[in-house]
Amino acid sequence: MYFTCGFDESQVKPMTDTVLVVEDEQDIAELIKVQLHELSLQTELCSCGQQGLAKALANNYALVVLDIMLPNISGLDICQQLRQKKPEQAIMILTSRSSETDRVLGLELGADDYMTKPFSVRELQARVRSQLRKVHLLGNIVQQQAHDQSNPDGHEISIGSLCINQSTHQTQIRGNDVELTSTEFDLLLYLASHPEQVFTRSQLLSSVWGYHHSGYEHTVNSHINRLRNKLEEDVTHPQIVQTVWGVGYKFNRQGVCA
């Protein structure tokens, strides 16, 4: 069931961000546009998958919202290609495909968030705001980089062979560059800033993603798996981001110091 909620536009800080919504069901696309307008966001609608991919690659959008079942090309294929060619692009999948397998696949292919239809408008707005906060933070980091080439103390975390540069948003391990999405970077930075501390999935969802919703712990699991694929020498026996069974995850300092 789709519903609207009361919203005071005077309390929203004006934004100039533009969101691309690739959705072939016109009524749903228009509903999303109305709700994003309440957040003072510009919205472009596209009903064709191939055209949506072309627009996403050619323009700079703060966020791309994708349906999965699209004409010409699926939203999952769009997500995968976008992630490969524009690693920092914020991507949200919004679809009626609600199985755990579909959600995990979407996240594994690079989506920053996955939301199912029918959806709560209030939750949609909260998730969009959460993604845009990350986009703005990354933009501030890039601007800071232009004024801060000396990398002063406090802008870099170095633990063994792992180096996380908060100013340049770059990560290296064992001397090799690691390409991380903005969410993967935030997750790694948070864990590495609290070595050996164990976090539940709910705690990570709240601290990294910025929202509290039970039932979405799979989002954390998928991003942990993607981090491991990029950091671990043997993903079947992770030494850096470790699972504490029955609790959650922790950053193992010895995994990068060995």
Side-chain angles (χ1 to χ4, degrees), residues 3-14:
F3 66 91
T4 59
C5 59
F7 200 89
D8 184 356
E9 291 192 44
S10 65
Q11 296 179 358
V12 181
K13 183 179 179 181

Side-chain angles (χ1 to χ4, degrees), residues 108-128:
E108 291 287 357
L109 289 176
D112 294 295
D113 204 352
Y114 191 109
M115 191 171 177
T116 58
K117 306 171 186 174
F119 56 87
S120 154
V121 168
R122 182 172 296 170
E123 182 179 347
L124 172 65
Q125 291 176 329
R127 287 172 177 247
V128 168

Side-chain angles (χ1 to χ4, degrees), residues 52-89:
L53 175 60
K55 289 172 73 70
L57 291 174
N59 300 283
N60 293 321
Y61 295 103
L63 176 66
V64 175
V65 179
L66 296 171
D67 187 15
I68 289 182
M69 304 297 289
L70 294 166
N72 308 121
I73 182 174
S74 77
L76 292 177
D77 289 334
I78 295 174
C79 177
Q80 187 175 32
Q81 292 190 46
L82 267 182
R83 185 57 69 215
Q84 291 173 349
K85 298 176 181 178
K86 300 180 74 171
E88 300 301 330
Q89 175 66 65

Side-chain angles (χ1 to χ4, degrees), residues 1 3 6 15 21 28-29 31 58 96 109 113 124 137 139 215 222 229 238 242 257:
M1 178 177 182
F3 66 91
M15 293 183 177
V21 178
I28 297 178
L31 173 63
S96 58
L109 289 176
D113 204 352
L124 172 65
L137 176 60
S222 294
N229 286 331
Q242 294 186 318
C257 293

